[in-house]
Amino acid sequence: PEWRGAGPSASASEGLPSRAYLERFPPAWLTAFGRTPAGAGELAGLIARVRATCAELGVPPPAAAVDLEQGAGLHFRGAPRLPPALALASAALAAEREELDWIWAAGELTAREARAAGAELVLAPVADVNTQRDNPIIATRSFGDRPDAAGARALALSMGLRAGGAGSCAKHFPGHGDTVRDSHVELPSVPADPSSLRARELVPFRRLVEHGVDCVMIGHLDVPALTGERGLPSTLSRAVIEGTLRGELGFRGTVVSDAMNMGALERFAPRYARALAAGCDVLLCPHDPQVA
């Protein structure tokens, strides 16, 4: 379940899990949003309040996961805000700095700031290879359009996060870079054949898995070359999660779904049971936690 500071686009007012919900279904994790139209909000205080409520109820306090692709300042007031991934890499090159050292440092700084604010898991790096120039949702969030370079940069950020004391989450498996649709709104299609996927989309994820990334986020993507079924989201596909990610790539960490309240899953029911059956360990942002 999610908690939101007042002002994000999805919520005009503060949104916290109810006391009754926390008592009946104490979650191991919560995902937090502090980004508002005016900038980062007071998210650290909300995290502390939820944990204080759990302490009063005598249930274990949840860990916090936050989307900090552009540094802790994306959601936490007073923390540094960094450029998006592609700009970060470009800035390093333009300044004639060691590119991967620069990106590692960004990850380490993000982790230190996140932990100080109360978050243990950073929902980054983006490991998508952005080969589609009309991509409406990944674009500069990706580390580039070359698989090896994108993989090396994503790994540098992940290792920096680890050095700073936070977990990392590679996303959006098996790759959201070659799409012209936004999965927040509808189910995007990835038309590549199996050999193209392995030579391009899977390269950064394979590298991150080999170096022990903590979590991998499954994207809501129609990838028939892997699912074997046109129109089936990867999040609901055992072939993608257990077959490709765990079987072929050998991932042994935690599998996290992308937000379960996104438009790509709107017509798929029962979405929560199907995602668990497919192999997801954590279901992110249910549209209604009580129903979920």
Side-chain angles (χ1 to χ4, degrees):
E2 63 187 70
W3 65 68
R4 290 183 176 269
S9 57
S11 176
S13 59
E14 183 178 284
L16 297 174
S18 71
R19 187 182 181 93
Y21 175 83
L22 291 171
E23 184 172 28
R24 186 176 179 194
F25 303 114
W29 288 88
L30 286 151
T31 184
F33 297 89
R35 187 178 183 181
T36 76
E42 183 42 58
L43 189 58
L46 296 187
I47 293 174
R49 281 169 51 193
V50 171
R51 288 173 173 160
T53 300
C54 289
E56 292 171 10
L57 294 170
V59 300
V66 188
D67 179 0
L68 301 177
E69 294 174 20
Q70 291 180 238
L74 190 63
H75 287 276
F76 291 103
R77 183 180 296 157
R81 175 80 181 267
L82 303 177
L86 190 59
L88 189 68
S90 299
L93 293 172
E96 298 183 349
R97 294 288 298 273
E98 288 294 333
E99 177 193 12
L100 298 182
D101 289 349
W102 183 284
I103 295 170
W104 184 96
E108 195 267 346
L109 172 63
T110 297
R112 283 193 288 106
E113 296 284 344
R115 291 307 306 270
E120 291 87 356
L121 176 63
V122 174
L123 298 176
V126 172
D128 305 308
V129 182
N130 196 78
T131 56
Q132 176 54 253
R133 293 188 181 276
D134 293 329
N135 196 317
I137 187 60
I138 301 302
T140 58
R141 296 169 65 195
S142 164
F143 278 109
D145 58 6
R146 293 183 292 121
D148 288 338
R153 294 163 179 170
L155 177 60
L157 189 79
S158 177
M159 299 301 285
L161 289 168
R162 180 182 298 175
S168 62
C169 180
K171 59 188 186 183
H172 308 78
F173 189 84
H176 205 326
D178 187 20
T179 63
V180 294
R181 298 284 185 267
D182 179 359
S183 53
H184 292 86
V185 180
E186 57 188 316
L187 181 64
S189 173
V190 179
D193 58 53
S195 61
S196 297
L197 288 167
R198 288 177 172 86
R200 188 177 61 195
E201 272 76 14
L202 298 189
V203 169
F205 291 101
R206 188 183 299 276
R207 188 162 188 175
L208 283 154
V209 167
E210 288 172 350
H211 286 82
V213 69
D214 302 287
C215 306
V216 171
M217 181 184 291
I218 309 297
H220 306 315
L221 302 163
D222 176 15
V223 192
L226 296 181
T227 65
E229 180 180 343
R230 193 169 299 278
L232 178 67
S234 298
T235 336
L236 309 182
S237 170
R238 196 164 182 83
V240 169
I241 298 172
E242 296 296 336
T244 305
L245 179 58
R246 292 210 184 276
E248 182 178 335
L249 270 61
F251 181 59
R252 296 291 177 265
T254 301
V255 176
V256 181
S257 78
D258 205 344
M260 298 295 290
N261 57 9
M262 288 164 61
L265 294 187
E266 190 171 2
R267 63 185 179 86
F268 294 91
R271 69 181 80 171
Y272 306 110
R274 292 180 67 179
L276 289 172
C280 288
D281 301 306
V282 176
L283 304 184
L284 191 70
C285 298
H287 73 287
D288 183 326
Q290 193 83 8
V291 169

